[in-house]
Amino acid sequence: MRVVVDLSRCEGYAQCAFLAPDAFRMHGEEALMYDPMPDDALRDQVLRAAAACPVQAILVDRLEGRDVPVEASAS
């Protein structure tokens, strides 16, 4: 799985860091750091974190044969 965060859109709400701390973490109060290729075992946490992003700044790609990107959305 590949994760891309639009850092110009991210506003530092840190919901992703709360829901998937092994993939996302805050550096200071506003700077998000993330693992662009998190372990597949974190898939559920990463998808929940992406869905919880208030500004939908997180995009998750499934790499293993499913090349259709999954956009984070609450719907």
Side-chain angles (χ1 to χ4, degrees):
M1 138 177 69
R2 179 177 51 195
V3 174
V4 177
V5 177
D6 182 345
L7 295 174
S8 65
R9 188 176 220 183
C10 176
E11 293 187 12
Y13 289 105
Q15 293 302 306
C16 57
F18 176 73
L19 293 168
D22 292 328
F24 304 94
R25 66 187 174 284
M26 296 303 292
H27 182 69
E29 291 189 26
E30 294 183 15
L32 176 69
M33 299 182 73
Y34 68 99
D35 181 355
M37 300 288 280
D39 189 274
D40 207 42
L42 300 174
R43 177 179 302 279
D44 288 340
Q45 288 180 11
V46 169
L47 291 175
R48 274 189 232 118
C53 179
V55 295
Q56 298 181 351
I58 303 169
L59 177 73
V60 180
D61 265 340
R62 298 178 188 164
L63 297 177
E64 65 284 343
R66 290 176 253 148
D67 292 297
V68 178
V70 176
E71 276 198 48
S73 67
S75 54

